[in-house]
Each structure stands twice: as C-alpha cells, then as structure tokens.
Amino acid sequence: SPQVLEQYLNVLKKSLEEAYPSAEWQSSEITTINNKKVGVFKLLTPVKDDTIFNYFVFTDVNGKLLITTFNCPERKVKDWGRVSEEMMGSLEVK
C-alpha cells in the first residue's frame, strides 16, 4: 500500500545492496509520478567486462506491488538516459 512504500524501499534497497555490494547508487527515494507515490532506484552494477545502469520505479496497484525497470550498458546512458526518464515519467496507474 502507499503507507508501506517507504518501508518497502528500505527492504528492497537492502536486498539489492546485499546482492550487488559493489553497486554505485545514484538515487534512492520516494517521489510522485502522475499523482502516484512511487519508489525510485537508480544504480550502476558491474558485470563481466561492463557496467549496467539500472532504473527501478515501484508502486502499489490494488494492494499488489508493481515494479518497472529499465537498464542499459553505462556507456549508452548518454543516448538512453533522457528516454528512460521520459518512459518512467509517463507511468500512469489507473
């Protein structure tokens, strides 16, 4: 529910930190997209011979968790960063 979104942010972040201890966190926050309270994570995770940019937006829909993700190689963020912001910013939950 929206009331536990911040708690979920903390639990999910801890889980990601344990899974990816060398991740570089860029953002971890609660914000609003199109009048809907959402959690947002942006982080870089190293993989063999590369680094991946990960963008998560999560919220509740009828008491269930909705997680949307975008990722791309870090070297492509210049091309896809603005597009990913527009995509995530267009999220509408009805």
Side-chain angles (χ1 to χ4, degrees):
S1 70
Q3 294 77 20
V4 297
L5 198 57
E6 190 156 348
Q7 290 173 317
Y8 187 75
L9 177 132
N10 295 329
V11 169
L12 182 55
K13 183 175 182 187
K14 183 177 179 184
S15 177
L16 288 168
E17 287 172 336
E18 290 173 1
Y20 303 101
S22 57
E24 179 184 324
W25 286 83
Q26 297 181 338
S27 178
S28 172
E29 63 183 347
I30 300 291
T31 190
T32 302
I33 296 176
N34 294 320
N35 298 315
K36 184 72 172 171
K37 188 175 177 181
V38 300
V40 174
F41 292 140
K42 294 180 188 176
L43 61 148
L44 297 170
T45 53
V47 295
K48 184 180 180 188
D49 300 327
D50 211 345
T51 302
I52 304 297
F53 170 70
N54 302 277
Y55 189 166
F56 296 81
V57 173
F58 52 94
T59 191
D60 69 291
V61 178
N62 300 323
K64 296 182 180 179
L65 181 65
L66 170 68
I67 301 176
T68 58
T69 63
F70 171 86
N71 62 49
C72 69
E74 180 183 26
R75 68 184 177 282
K76 296 287 187 175
V77 169
K78 187 177 258 186
D79 299 325
W80 286 98
R82 187 177 58 79
V83 174
S84 69
E85 289 290 337
E86 289 175 9
M87 287 188 311
M88 294 303 200
S90 71
L91 176 69
E92 287 188 38
V93 178
K94 296 182 181 187

